[in-house]
């Protein structure tokens, strides 16, 4: 028992080191995956141009980013330059006409939220899984499932009010004094719950996604480590397990992603443009509306685009995070030996 505790201390990494590793993963994932969504939006814009006040959702692979077109297609960063004949042609034309930097347009404001949100989520997950697996649940996969669900619930709850504030500030630039005054007015009229608009749909999508993802990731990682006779997961093992578990979670939770996107757009249009149009006030009403309009197939709309973004994002994020943890684990072990 003493040997196990000693080995645990040698390998243990601190919460701060976990934050650094997850932040690095979030940054790398965003840089790699964001261009895919920029191209998707450009292709979408040329077939159905965005009008003033129209909302759409941009995703950097880690989180959704609500965008609202204020200038039609003339001045917005997502305007169509020429005519694209597919994904590769869109990449080529954007780079040729606007430069490589255009593929990452709209990314900086998203990173402001994505990095802290990801750091909170991954750090809380690791801390909880460690406590559960060592003291409560012997099965690592089950411990991962519980820890993933709880960590995601907490992260979504903490970040939601900040995301609402960021969205308002981005699309209605104003002083922080004016912004806070407006938020105070919303709270006075509608209560503190107004700061968590869209929270329910986000929780219904993200919490099951997280639970399914971490369960399958830990299970897949252990199977691959046994198959290749590895004590610790390599970069490729983490990459493969992350992509596999991400695809399962993405397919399973897609209906709630469709609902969440619709509600996010409705809330965004209402909040930012003070739209008088009616929008769903309930997640379940939104589900019923989608089924009535498009049938049950409507709940699985956008499956391929979601997989194209989610699978590489999950694979890159978790493999980078595990690589970072391995680096710090080795660093701590070396420091421990030097101190003896």
């Amino acid at each position: 028992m003493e040997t196990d505790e000693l080995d645990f201390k040698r390998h243990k990494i601190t919460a701060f080191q976990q934050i650094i590793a997850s932040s690095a993963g979030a940054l790398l994932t965003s840089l790699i995956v964001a261009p895919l969504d920029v191209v998707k939006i450009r292709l979408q814009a040329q077939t159905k141009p965005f009008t003033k006040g129209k909302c759409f959702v941009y995703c950097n692979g880690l989180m959704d980013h609500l965008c609202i077109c204020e200038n039609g297609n003339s001045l917005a960063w997502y305007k169509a330059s020429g005519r694209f004949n597919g994904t590769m042609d869109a990449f080529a034309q954007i780079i040729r006409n606007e430069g490589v930097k255009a593929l990452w347009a709209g990314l900086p404001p998203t990173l402001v939220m994505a990095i802290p949100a990801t750091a909170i989520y991954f750090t809380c997950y690791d801390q909880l899984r460690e406590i559960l697996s060592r003291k409560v649940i012997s099965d690592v996969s089950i411990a991962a499932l519980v820890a993933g669900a709880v960590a995601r619930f907490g992260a979504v709850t903490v970040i939601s009010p900040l995301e609402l504030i960021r969205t308002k500030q981005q699309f209605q630039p104003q002083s922080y004094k004016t912004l806070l005054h407006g938020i105070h007015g919303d709270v006075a009229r509608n209560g503190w719950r107004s700061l968590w608009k869209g929270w329910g749909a986000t929780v219904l999508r993200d919490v099951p996604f997280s639970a399914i993802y971490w369960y399958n990731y830990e299970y897949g990682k252990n199977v691959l480590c046994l198959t290749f006779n590895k004590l610790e997961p390599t970069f490729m093992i983490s990459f493969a397990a992350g992509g596999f578990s991400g695809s399962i979670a993405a397919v399973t939770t897609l209906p709630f992603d469709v609902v969440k996107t619709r509600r996010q757009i409705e809330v965004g249009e209402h909040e930012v443009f003070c739209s008088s149009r009616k929008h769903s006030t309930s997640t379940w009403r939104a589900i019923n509306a989608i089924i009535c309009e498009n049938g049950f197939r409507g709940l699985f709309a956008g499956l391929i685009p979601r997989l194209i973004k989610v699978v590489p994002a999950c694979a890159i994020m978790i493999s980078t995070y595990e690589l970072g943890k391995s680096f710090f684990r080795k660093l701590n072990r070396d420091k421990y030996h030097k101190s003896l």
Side-chain angles (χ1 to χ4, degrees), residues 27-102:
L27 178 61
L28 182 62
T29 303
S30 300
L31 291 174
I32 294 175
V33 177
L36 296 174
D37 215 61
V38 170
V39 169
K40 185 206 74 172
I41 291 170
R42 295 293 190 94
L43 291 169
Q44 182 183 357
Q46 75 175 6
T47 57
K48 189 177 180 181
F50 298 119
T51 57
K52 183 176 181 179
K54 177 65 178 176
C55 294
F56 61 95
V57 176
Y58 164 84
C59 178
N60 70 339
L62 295 171
M63 64 178 290
D64 293 336
H65 176 58
L66 185 62
C67 298
I68 300 175
C69 180
E70 297 186 69
N71 300 298
N73 255 12
S74 59
L75 299 175
W77 61 263
Y78 44 82
K79 67 178 180 179
S81 53
R83 189 74 184 175
F84 303 135
N85 298 313
T87 301
M88 296 309 298
D89 182 55
F91 270 108
Q93 286 201 48
I94 291 171
I95 294 173
R96 182 170 62 250
N97 299 329
E98 304 168 51
V100 176
K101 290 173 62 176

Side-chain angles (χ1 to χ4, degrees), residues 308-329:
I308 289 173
K309 288 186 295 184
V310 169
V311 173
C314 288
I316 295 167
M317 178 66 216
I318 193 62
S319 55
T320 305
Y321 180 57
E322 291 285 8
L323 186 65
K325 289 199 300 180
S326 295
F327 169 79
F328 285 118
R329 196 175 290 116

Side-chain angles (χ1 to χ4, degrees), residues 169-187:
Q169 177 64 19
Q170 182 179 358
F171 299 118
Q172 283 187 332
Q174 53 192 301
S175 67
Y176 283 103
K177 182 178 180 180
T178 303
L179 179 64
L180 293 175
H181 184 268
I183 293 172
H184 183 269
D186 287 343
V187 172

